[in-house]
C-alpha cells in the first residue's frame, strides 16, 4: 500500500507549488495531501484539505502553550500544533501511517520504497530531533506524542519526560 504524504501550511507561498509538484513526481502512487487554510490551485493530482477540519486538537493545545523559545511565537506554536493536525487528519481518514514533510522540503525519493528502511520504527525524526521529514508508522504513537505534549504544557512544572511518565 502506498503511503500518504502530508504537507501542512498556513497561507500560500510560491515555493509550495514546487514542493507539492516534486512530491507528486517522485511518488506517483502515493496521495499527496495539502492541509491548509487557503484554497489555491494545486499541482495535478494533489489533494487539498481544509485545516479547519483538523484543528480542534491544535486549538486546545494552543490554550495551554507557553512560549520559551527564541523563535517567533506564531512559528513555534504552529510547530507543535502540526502534530495535532496530523493526528486528527489520521483519525478522520482512518490512516495507520503517513509521511509528513514541511512545506519547504523538496522530496526526491519514493517514500514507499524508503519506508522499508524505517518500517520497524513507530515514528522517525530527521537527525534525531526535527520533525520536518517524518514517517509515522503507527497512529498510536502520534496519539501518545500529542498526549505527552498536552501533559507537559498543561503543567509547566513537568518539563522532563520522567515527570510525565511517572503519572
Amino acid at each position: 500500500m502506498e503511503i500518504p504524504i502530508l504537507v501542512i501550511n498556513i497561507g500560500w507561498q510560491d515555493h509550495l507549488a514546487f514542493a507539492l509538484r516534486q512530491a507528486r513526481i517522485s511518488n506517483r502512487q502515493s496521495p499527496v495531501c495539502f492541509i491548509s487554510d487557503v484554497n489555491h490551485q494545486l499541482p495535478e493530482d494533489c489533494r487539498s484539505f481544509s485545516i479547519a477540519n483538523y484543528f480542534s486538537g491544535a486549538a486546545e493545545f494552543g490554550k495551554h502553550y507557553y512560549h520559551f523559545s527564541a523563535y517567533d511565537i506564531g512559528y513555534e506554536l504552529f510547530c507543535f500544533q502540526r502534530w495535532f493536525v496530523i493526528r486528527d487528519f489520521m483519525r478522520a481518514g482512518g490512516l495507520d501511517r503517513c509521511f509528513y514533510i514541511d512545506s519547504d522540503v523538496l522530496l526526491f525519493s519514493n517514500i514507499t520504497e524508503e519506508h522499508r528502511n524505517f518500517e520497524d520504527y513507530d515514528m522517525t525524526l530527521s537527525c534525531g530531533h526535527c520533525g520536518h521529514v517524518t514517517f509515522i508508522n503507527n497512529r498510536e504513537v502520534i496519539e501518545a506524542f500529542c498526549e505527552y505534549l498536552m501533559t507537559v504544557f498543561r503543567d509547566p512544572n513537568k518539563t522532563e519526560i520522567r515527570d510525565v511518565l511517572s503519572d
Side-chain angles (χ1 to χ4, degrees):
M1 179 181 175
E2 302 301 325
I3 299 171
I5 299 167
L6 309 184
V7 178
I8 302 171
N9 201 72
I10 299 297
W12 181 264
Q13 293 84 33
D14 290 338
H15 72 270
L16 287 163
F18 297 107
L20 292 167
R21 186 175 304 116
Q22 184 57 46
R24 167 55 47 231
I25 289 168
S26 299
N27 295 274
R28 283 284 175 204
Q29 301 304 313
S30 291
V32 177
C33 305
F34 180 60
I35 305 167
S36 181
D37 63 337
V38 296
N39 186 9
H40 195 274
Q41 180 74 28
L42 299 181
E44 184 178 345
D45 293 331
C46 292
R47 302 176 188 169
S48 180
F49 297 87
S50 173
I51 198 169
N53 295 331
Y54 313 101
F55 206 76
S56 62
E60 180 62 26
F61 174 79
K63 295 175 187 175
H64 302 283
Y65 177 76
Y66 54 93
H67 190 65
F68 56 93
S69 171
Y71 292 108
D72 174 74
I73 189 171
Y75 171 82
E76 195 67 23
L77 172 59
F78 192 73
C79 285
F80 286 102
Q81 287 177 316
R82 68 177 162 188
W83 301 114
F84 294 89
V85 173
I86 292 168
R87 180 200 65 189
D88 292 354
F89 185 83
M90 290 180 75
R91 280 179 179 170
L95 300 176
D96 292 320
R97 63 183 180 166
C98 69
F99 182 72
Y100 168 78
I101 56 173
D102 276 356
S103 62
D104 60 350
V105 171
L106 292 176
L107 182 60
F108 289 91
S109 296
N110 180 303
I111 55 95
T112 300
E113 293 173 10
E114 289 296 320
H115 181 259
R116 292 182 194 123
N117 297 316
F118 304 101
E119 64 189 350
D120 293 335
Y121 303 94
D122 288 336
M123 185 172 171
T124 65
L125 297 175
S126 301
C127 301
H129 67 280
C130 183
H132 63 267
V133 177
T134 302
F135 279 104
I136 299 171
N137 295 322
N138 177 343
R139 190 168 62 207
E140 291 175 8
V141 76
I142 195 71
E143 297 277 355
F145 183 59
C146 288
E147 184 57 37
Y148 167 74
L149 291 175
M150 286 298 286
T151 300
V152 168
F153 281 89
R154 278 187 190 127
D155 184 351
N157 295 318
K158 292 188 176 188
T159 56
E160 297 292 330
I161 193 165
R162 69 176 179 273
D163 295 333
V164 175
L165 296 177
S166 66
D167 287 345

